Amino acid sequence: MKELFPIYEVHKDLVYLDSSASSLKPKMVIDAVSNYYNNYSCNIERGIYKICFDATRICEDARQNIASYLNVDSEEIIFTRGASSSLNMVASMLKDILKEGDEVIVSELEHHSSFLPFLRLSKTIGIKLVFVELTPDGHITVENFKKALSPKTKVVALTHVSNVLGYITPIKEIIELSHKNNIIVSVDGAQAIPHFRVDLKDLDADFYSFSFHKCFGPTGLGVLYGKKKYLNMLEPVELGGEMNSTVTKDSVTYKDIPYKFEAGTMPIAEIFGASKAIDFLRSLDLLKEEEKAISLRNIALSELKKMDEIIIYNDTDSSSIISFNIKGVHSHDAVSYLSESICLRAGQHCAEPLHNFLGVNATLRASFYYYNDLEDVKVFISKIKDAINFFKEVGLIV
Amino acid sequence: MSNLSNLYREIIMDHYKNPRNKGLINDKSYITCHIKNPSCGDEINIESKVENGIITDIRQDGVGCSICCANASILSQVVKGMKVSDAEYFLDNYLKMVSNQEYDESIDFDELQVFDGIKDFPARVRCASISSQALLNTLKKEKS
């Protein structure tokens, strides 16, 4: 698959194992972004000249394409700056219907983008955050979720897939349980959409957020899916151009959904590219590709487990991520050595509460995706062995 | 990889394994600054005690990579005993050196000179800088 990604022509020996942060982009997506700048380059919605009309149509086709991929209506698809922006919008929108003492269920697995907007609401309006107790190895379970439920629970804000451990939350069961108790569920799908087809109608989440740059698409664009009943009811977070229908000196009426949530000029080139990213996902046998990525990851994992100097934090066989450390070596020291030849993530991955849970200051993360191959695994393992030898030589590993 | 070997010289490993001036005093006569690098989790506390314009003690504590922790340790040794005004000039130029900007090359950075090599690793400049920034903050607080 590497031939579809122009970056491999520039960096022929690239070993890219940081797809959980951002995936590489295929040529068809890059071409679509260029197509906008080369052939349109105008605003959308605001003009009646031909290139404006055509660009507007392409953006609306993109919205329809994304909506049908997720099995929802296009008016439920709001374009945002990314998953972080979507998740912030959810908390800001729900602020109006939450009050002091209401409980919001979160977890230590959450990315800061999912968790912090509700942490702020706990400080400003006095909602109470309730954490689902994780299993000792870091999973969210339905049983533990039930324990977190109370008559005061109003919102559940959980990740679909952990960005550090790769564990999948039993979110469908959690949504069912929540809805039985009239609880609104917001799901962070940033790490799910890149790895499996999500049918939002079947999942029945009330809000679902993701970014395109993690699933072959451009940076700077995400989606907030929201159920019509909530989008119609809730106030827009941002006000400005094109989201309103009538403005006087002392009043405003908003456009219908989704436009009332899209103030100002949208990232048009990115929307062109996002539609092609969805086409690219559609063209793949996702189950087969995911199985291949996981099997590459598991080959790497089994090699790492042979090394006494390695500690693994997600010893499961169903993730495409390996979270690990070289014992005695801070991840930033390790990655300075490894980054000469491998793109690997080191740090807290915007999930500090999870690192506190794991009892570790920072971790290394290798994430495998569909363009990775056995050669990447071989280079990865060989460089890890070299790194261990290097840190033994300088005395960090004794 | 020789640049990296050079960086992880004995001096850094020595201070990482046997940190000097480690542990906070938590005394009112000391001024404290806490700095965290949120991307990697490095976290450093620096305490300084100033008497008659002289830095008479520096304490340091924190968690992080070897560069960050060794830097705090070396810094605490090298700057102790300096006049505040000299220390500010010294630290300002040290920060310029590690971030590959022009600096006063006549300064004797003592054991901190080893961090000159960090400029070849731009992603690590912050690791070798946060202790100096924290110390500068304590000196500013001292003045105010």
mmCIF file of all heavy atoms in Angstrom, chain A residues 330 332-333 336-337 340 346-348 352 361-362 390-391 394-396 398, chain B residues 1 4-5 8 13 16-17 36 39-42 63-66 124 127:
data_model
loop_
_atom_site.group_PDB
_atom_site.id
_atom_site.type_symbol
_atom_site.label_atom_id
_atom_site.label_comp_id
_atom_site.label_asym_id
_atom_site.label_seq_id
_atom_site.Cartn_x
_atom_site.Cartn_y
_atom_site.Cartn_z
ATOM 1 N N HIS A 330 13.993 6.919 30.469
ATOM 2 C CA HIS A 330 12.826 7.776 30.228
ATOM 3 C C HIS A 330 12.494 7.754 28.734
ATOM 4 O O HIS A 330 13.399 7.705 27.892
ATOM 5 C CB HIS A 330 13.153 9.198 30.691
ATOM 6 C CG HIS A 330 11.966 10.100 30.739
ATOM 7 N ND1 HIS A 330 11.471 10.721 29.619
ATOM 8 C CD2 HIS A 330 11.159 10.478 31.766
ATOM 9 C CE1 HIS A 330 10.418 11.449 29.951
ATOM 10 N NE2 HIS A 330 10.214 11.312 31.256
ATOM 11 N N HIS A 332 11.695 9.915 26.708
ATOM 12 C CA HIS A 332 12.300 10.974 25.896
ATOM 13 C C HIS A 332 13.756 10.685 25.581
ATOM 14 O O HIS A 332 14.253 11.042 24.513
ATOM 15 C CB HIS A 332 12.168 12.324 26.612
ATOM 16 C CG HIS A 332 11.328 13.275 25.847
ATOM 17 N ND1 HIS A 332 11.495 14.629 25.872
ATOM 18 C CD2 HIS A 332 10.317 13.054 24.981
ATOM 19 C CE1 HIS A 332 10.623 15.200 25.081
ATOM 20 N NE2 HIS A 332 9.895 14.268 24.531
ATOM 21 N N ASP A 333 14.459 10.020 26.530
ATOM 22 C CA ASP A 333 15.818 9.587 26.231
ATOM 23 C C ASP A 333 15.781 8.529 25.136
ATOM 24 O O ASP A 333 16.557 8.565 24.192
ATOM 25 C CB ASP A 333 16.478 9.005 27.494
ATOM 26 C CG ASP A 333 16.845 10.100 28.495
ATOM 27 O OD1 ASP A 333 17.385 11.127 28.065
ATOM 28 O OD2 ASP A 333 16.567 9.929 29.696
ATOM 29 N N SER A 336 15.007 9.841 21.607
ATOM 30 C CA SER A 336 16.103 10.595 20.980
ATOM 31 C C SER A 336 16.991 9.653 20.186
ATOM 32 O O SER A 336 17.494 10.001 19.129
ATOM 33 C CB SER A 336 16.959 11.289 22.032
ATOM 34 O OG SER A 336 16.361 12.489 22.404
ATOM 35 N N TYR A 337 17.186 8.466 20.706
ATOM 36 C CA TYR A 337 17.979 7.472 19.983
ATOM 37 C C TYR A 337 17.183 6.929 18.798
ATOM 38 O O TYR A 337 17.662 6.886 17.666
ATOM 39 C CB TYR A 337 18.372 6.320 20.925
ATOM 40 C CG TYR A 337 19.277 5.305 20.255
ATOM 41 C CD1 TYR A 337 20.660 5.426 20.321
ATOM 42 C CD2 TYR A 337 18.736 4.263 19.514
ATOM 43 C CE1 TYR A 337 21.486 4.525 19.673
ATOM 44 C CE2 TYR A 337 19.564 3.351 18.862
ATOM 45 C CZ TYR A 337 20.927 3.495 18.953
ATOM 46 O OH TYR A 337 21.745 2.607 18.296
ATOM 47 N N GLU A 340 16.152 8.761 15.112
ATOM 48 C CA GLU A 340 17.035 8.873 13.947
ATOM 49 C C GLU A 340 16.470 8.056 12.790
ATOM 50 O O GLU A 340 16.699 8.359 11.633
ATOM 51 C CB GLU A 340 18.420 8.336 14.311
ATOM 52 C CG GLU A 340 19.093 9.127 15.394
ATOM 53 C CD GLU A 340 20.206 10.010 14.865
ATOM 54 O OE1 GLU A 340 20.948 9.550 13.995
ATOM 55 O OE2 GLU A 340 20.303 11.163 15.324
ATOM 56 N N ALA A 346 6.676 9.652 22.124
ATOM 57 C CA ALA A 346 7.111 9.532 23.519
ATOM 58 C C ALA A 346 6.433 10.607 24.331
ATOM 59 O O ALA A 346 6.228 11.714 23.857
ATOM 60 C CB ALA A 346 8.620 9.706 23.618
ATOM 61 N N GLY A 347 6.042 10.273 25.537
ATOM 62 C CA GLY A 347 5.441 11.281 26.403
ATOM 63 C C GLY A 347 4.191 10.772 27.077
ATOM 64 O O GLY A 347 4.079 9.581 27.380
ATOM 65 N N GLN A 348 3.249 11.681 27.273
ATOM 66 C CA GLN A 348 2.021 11.306 27.978
ATOM 67 C C GLN A 348 0.820 11.237 27.038
ATOM 68 O O GLN A 348 -0.284 10.929 27.469
ATOM 69 C CB GLN A 348 1.754 12.303 29.105
ATOM 70 C CG GLN A 348 2.864 12.295 30.157
ATOM 71 C CD GLN A 348 2.570 13.177 31.342
ATOM 72 O OE1 GLN A 348 1.913 14.207 31.227
ATOM 73 N NE2 GLN A 348 3.070 12.776 32.503
ATOM 74 N N GLU A 352 -2.716 12.408 30.692
ATOM 75 C CA GLU A 352 -1.963 12.390 31.954
ATOM 76 C C GLU A 352 -2.647 11.556 33.040
ATOM 77 O O GLU A 352 -1.969 10.796 33.738
ATOM 78 C CB GLU A 352 -1.723 13.830 32.429
ATOM 79 C CG GLU A 352 -0.703 13.911 33.536
ATOM 80 C CD GLU A 352 -0.345 15.346 33.892
ATOM 81 O OE1 GLU A 352 -0.610 16.249 33.083
ATOM 82 O OE2 GLU A 352 0.190 15.548 35.000
ATOM 83 N N ASN A 361 5.686 7.991 34.452
ATOM 84 C CA ASN A 361 5.757 9.394 34.064
ATOM 85 C C ASN A 361 5.451 9.593 32.581
ATOM 86 O O ASN A 361 4.801 10.554 32.188
ATOM 87 C CB ASN A 361 7.159 9.922 34.412
ATOM 88 C CG ASN A 361 7.368 11.364 34.004
ATOM 89 O OD1 ASN A 361 8.171 11.646 33.143
ATOM 90 N ND2 ASN A 361 6.612 12.269 34.617
ATOM 91 N N ALA A 362 5.929 8.677 31.755
ATOM 92 C CA ALA A 362 5.723 8.813 30.305
ATOM 93 C C ALA A 362 5.965 7.457 29.643
ATOM 94 O O ALA A 362 6.613 6.587 30.228
ATOM 95 C CB ALA A 362 6.679 9.851 29.734
ATOM 96 N N PHE A 390 22.840 0.728 23.410
ATOM 97 C CA PHE A 390 23.377 2.081 23.588
ATOM 98 C C PHE A 390 23.213 2.549 25.036
ATOM 99 O O PHE A 390 24.163 3.045 25.658
ATOM 100 C CB PHE A 390 22.676 3.063 22.636
ATOM 101 C CG PHE A 390 23.040 4.499 22.877
ATOM 102 C CD1 PHE A 390 24.239 5.015 22.410
ATOM 103 C CD2 PHE A 390 22.191 5.334 23.603
ATOM 104 C CE1 PHE A 390 24.590 6.342 22.648
ATOM 105 C CE2 PHE A 390 22.535 6.662 23.831
ATOM 106 C CZ PHE A 390 23.737 7.170 23.358
ATOM 107 N N PHE A 391 22.012 2.352 25.577
ATOM 108 C CA PHE A 391 21.770 2.855 26.933
ATOM 109 C C PHE A 391 22.485 2.001 27.992
ATOM 110 O O PHE A 391 22.743 2.487 29.096
ATOM 111 C CB PHE A 391 20.264 2.986 27.198
ATOM 112 C CG PHE A 391 19.664 4.144 26.455
ATOM 113 C CD1 PHE A 391 18.780 3.936 25.405
ATOM 114 C CD2 PHE A 391 20.012 5.448 26.767
ATOM 115 C CE1 PHE A 391 18.248 5.009 24.692
ATOM 116 C CE2 PHE A 391 19.493 6.527 26.065
ATOM 117 C CZ PHE A 391 18.612 6.311 25.017
ATOM 118 N N VAL A 394 26.056 3.651 27.837
ATOM 119 C CA VAL A 394 26.207 4.944 28.536
ATOM 120 C C VAL A 394 25.847 4.835 30.016
ATOM 121 O O VAL A 394 26.019 5.783 30.764
ATOM 122 C CB VAL A 394 25.372 6.075 27.879
ATOM 123 C CG1 VAL A 394 25.806 6.312 26.448
ATOM 124 C CG2 VAL A 394 23.884 5.809 27.963
ATOM 125 N N GLY A 395 25.332 3.681 30.412
ATOM 126 C CA GLY A 395 25.109 3.452 31.843
ATOM 127 C C GLY A 395 23.714 3.730 32.350
ATOM 128 O O GLY A 395 23.479 3.703 33.547
ATOM 129 N N LEU A 396 22.762 4.021 31.425
ATOM 130 C CA LEU A 396 21.386 4.238 31.896
ATOM 131 C C LEU A 396 20.726 2.927 32.277
ATOM 132 O O LEU A 396 19.883 2.873 33.156
ATOM 133 C CB LEU A 396 20.559 4.930 30.810
ATOM 134 C CG LEU A 396 20.282 6.414 30.982
ATOM 135 C CD1 LEU A 396 19.381 6.933 29.895
ATOM 136 C CD2 LEU A 396 19.671 6.716 32.336
ATOM 137 N N VAL A 398 21.462 -0.650 33.835
ATOM 138 C CA VAL A 398 22.549 -1.358 34.551
ATOM 139 C C VAL A 398 22.195 -2.817 34.737
ATOM 140 O O VAL A 398 21.054 -3.205 34.718
ATOM 141 C CB VAL A 398 22.849 -0.710 35.915
ATOM 142 C CG1 VAL A 398 23.627 0.568 35.726
ATOM 143 C CG2 VAL A 398 21.570 -0.459 36.698
ATOM 144 N N MET B 1 25.278 8.497 15.173
ATOM 145 C CA MET B 1 24.882 8.352 16.576
ATOM 146 C C MET B 1 25.958 8.885 17.521
ATOM 147 O O MET B 1 25.786 8.910 18.722
ATOM 148 C CB MET B 1 24.593 6.882 16.865
ATOM 149 C CG MET B 1 23.546 6.642 17.928
ATOM 150 S SD MET B 1 22.010 7.546 17.664
ATOM 151 C CE MET B 1 21.315 6.605 16.310
ATOM 152 N N LEU B 4 24.959 11.697 19.753
ATOM 153 C CA LEU B 4 24.143 11.287 20.893
ATOM 154 C C LEU B 4 25.034 10.698 21.986
ATOM 155 O O LEU B 4 24.861 10.983 23.160
ATOM 156 C CB LEU B 4 23.086 10.273 20.437
ATOM 157 C CG LEU B 4 21.943 10.049 21.423
ATOM 158 C CD1 LEU B 4 21.135 11.315 21.626
ATOM 159 C CD2 LEU B 4 21.020 8.947 20.921
ATOM 160 N N SER B 5 26.007 9.883 21.564
ATOM 161 C CA SER B 5 26.941 9.315 22.550
ATOM 162 C C SER B 5 27.632 10.444 23.294
ATOM 163 O O SER B 5 27.837 10.392 24.500
ATOM 164 C CB SER B 5 28.002 8.471 21.853
ATOM 165 O OG SER B 5 27.409 7.478 21.106
ATOM 166 N N TYR B 8 25.351 11.964 25.928
ATOM 167 C CA TYR B 8 25.181 11.135 27.129
ATOM 168 C C TYR B 8 26.541 10.805 27.748
ATOM 169 O O TYR B 8 26.844 9.671 28.045
ATOM 170 C CB TYR B 8 24.411 9.860 26.787
ATOM 171 C CG TYR B 8 22.941 10.109 26.572
ATOM 172 C CD1 TYR B 8 22.451 10.467 25.324
ATOM 173 C CD2 TYR B 8 22.036 10.000 27.618
ATOM 174 C CE1 TYR B 8 21.110 10.723 25.122
ATOM 175 C CE2 TYR B 8 20.686 10.249 27.424
ATOM 176 C CZ TYR B 8 20.232 10.614 26.178
ATOM 177 O OH TYR B 8 18.905 10.860 25.980
ATOM 178 N N MET B 13 25.442 11.320 32.954
ATOM 179 C CA MET B 13 25.035 10.079 33.632
ATOM 180 C C MET B 13 25.338 10.162 35.127
ATOM 181 O O MET B 13 24.556 9.708 35.952
ATOM 182 C CB MET B 13 25.771 8.882 33.014
ATOM 183 C CG MET B 13 25.295 8.517 31.630
ATOM 184 S SD MET B 13 23.537 8.119 31.601
ATOM 185 C CE MET B 13 22.877 9.537 30.825
ATOM 186 N N TYR B 16 22.776 12.361 36.730
ATOM 187 C CA TYR B 16 21.455 11.723 36.681
ATOM 188 C C TYR B 16 21.333 10.670 37.781
ATOM 189 O O TYR B 16 20.318 10.578 38.461
ATOM 190 C CB TYR B 16 21.241 11.096 35.303
ATOM 191 C CG TYR B 16 19.881 10.448 35.121
ATOM 192 C CD1 TYR B 16 18.710 11.170 35.324
ATOM 193 C CD2 TYR B 16 19.776 9.118 34.733
ATOM 194 C CE1 TYR B 16 17.469 10.583 35.146
ATOM 195 C CE2 TYR B 16 18.531 8.522 34.546
ATOM 196 C CZ TYR B 16 17.377 9.265 34.757
ATOM 197 O OH TYR B 16 16.156 8.677 34.580
ATOM 198 N N LYS B 17 22.435 9.926 37.940
ATOM 199 C CA LYS B 17 22.382 8.843 38.943
ATOM 200 C C LYS B 17 22.648 9.342 40.355
ATOM 201 O O LYS B 17 22.144 8.777 41.320
ATOM 202 C CB LYS B 17 23.415 7.771 38.582
ATOM 203 C CG LYS B 17 23.021 6.963 37.359
ATOM 204 C CD LYS B 17 24.114 5.974 37.055
ATOM 205 C CE LYS B 17 23.841 5.228 35.780
ATOM 206 N NZ LYS B 17 25.037 4.524 35.323
ATOM 207 N N LYS B 36 6.688 22.589 34.217
ATOM 208 C CA LYS B 36 6.394 21.273 33.663
ATOM 209 C C LYS B 36 6.403 21.363 32.153
ATOM 210 O O LYS B 36 5.947 22.343 31.573
ATOM 211 C CB LYS B 36 5.011 20.818 34.147
ATOM 212 C CG LYS B 36 4.700 19.431 33.676
ATOM 213 C CD LYS B 36 3.415 18.903 34.246
ATOM 214 C CE LYS B 36 3.199 17.520 33.652
ATOM 215 N NZ LYS B 36 1.920 16.973 33.955
ATOM 216 N N SER B 39 4.341 18.065 27.221
ATOM 217 C CA SER B 39 4.379 17.092 26.130
ATOM 218 C C SER B 39 5.092 15.814 26.547
ATOM 219 O O SER B 39 4.764 14.730 26.088
ATOM 220 C CB SER B 39 5.018 17.688 24.888
ATOM 221 O OG SER B 39 6.377 17.947 25.117
ATOM 222 N N CYS B 40 6.085 15.917 27.431
ATOM 223 C CA CYS B 40 6.828 14.699 27.780
ATOM 224 C C CYS B 40 6.682 14.351 29.250
ATOM 225 O O CYS B 40 7.072 13.267 29.670
ATOM 226 C CB CYS B 40 8.294 14.850 27.443
ATOM 227 S SG CYS B 40 9.119 16.114 28.386
ATOM 228 N N GLY B 41 6.157 15.270 30.049
ATOM 229 C CA GLY B 41 5.961 14.960 31.460
ATOM 230 C C GLY B 41 7.110 15.390 32.357
ATOM 231 O O GLY B 41 7.043 15.211 33.561
ATOM 232 N N ASP B 42 8.197 15.945 31.775
ATOM 233 C CA ASP B 42 9.287 16.435 32.621
ATOM 234 C C ASP B 42 8.741 17.494 33.568
ATOM 235 O O ASP B 42 7.994 18.386 33.164
ATOM 236 C CB ASP B 42 10.390 17.084 31.767
ATOM 237 C CG ASP B 42 11.246 16.058 31.047
ATOM 238 O OD1 ASP B 42 11.060 14.858 31.288
ATOM 239 O OD2 ASP B 42 12.099 16.471 30.245
ATOM 240 N N VAL B 63 10.896 15.075 38.226
ATOM 241 C CA VAL B 63 10.949 13.805 37.481
ATOM 242 C C VAL B 63 11.099 14.136 36.000
ATOM 243 O O VAL B 63 10.572 15.142 35.527
ATOM 244 C CB VAL B 63 9.677 12.953 37.673
ATOM 245 C CG1 VAL B 63 9.641 12.305 39.020
ATOM 246 C CG2 VAL B 63 8.413 13.768 37.432
ATOM 247 N N GLY B 64 11.800 13.272 35.317
ATOM 248 C CA GLY B 64 11.954 13.523 33.893
ATOM 249 C C GLY B 64 13.057 12.685 33.291
ATOM 250 O O GLY B 64 13.590 11.767 33.927
ATOM 251 N N CYS B 65 13.429 13.055 32.083
ATOM 252 C CA CYS B 65 14.463 12.308 31.363
ATOM 253 C C CYS B 65 15.830 12.624 31.958
ATOM 254 O O CYS B 65 15.972 13.518 32.790
ATOM 255 C CB CYS B 65 14.415 12.662 29.885
ATOM 256 S SG CYS B 65 14.807 14.374 29.555
ATOM 257 N N SER B 66 16.824 11.893 31.513
ATOM 258 C CA SER B 66 18.160 12.061 32.086
ATOM 259 C C SER B 66 18.719 13.453 31.815
ATOM 260 O O SER B 66 19.395 14.029 32.661
ATOM 261 C CB SER B 66 19.103 10.997 31.518
ATOM 262 O OG SER B 66 19.210 11.135 30.126
ATOM 263 N N ARG B 124 15.069 18.178 22.137
ATOM 264 C CA ARG B 124 15.477 18.035 23.539
ATOM 265 C C ARG B 124 15.907 19.361 24.172
ATOM 266 O O ARG B 124 16.308 19.364 25.338
ATOM 267 C CB ARG B 124 16.634 17.028 23.644
ATOM 268 C CG ARG B 124 16.348 15.682 23.020
ATOM 269 C CD ARG B 124 15.188 14.961 23.677
ATOM 270 N NE ARG B 124 15.380 14.675 25.091
ATOM 271 C CZ ARG B 124 16.089 13.646 25.548
ATOM 272 N NH1 ARG B 124 16.655 12.817 24.715
ATOM 273 N NH2 ARG B 124 16.212 13.435 26.843
ATOM 274 N N CYS B 127 14.289 20.110 27.365
ATOM 275 C CA CYS B 127 14.749 19.297 28.504
ATOM 276 C C CYS B 127 15.937 19.970 29.187
ATOM 277 O O CYS B 127 16.081 19.899 30.403
ATOM 278 C CB CYS B 127 15.172 17.898 28.057
ATOM 279 S SG CYS B 127 13.999 17.052 27.003
#
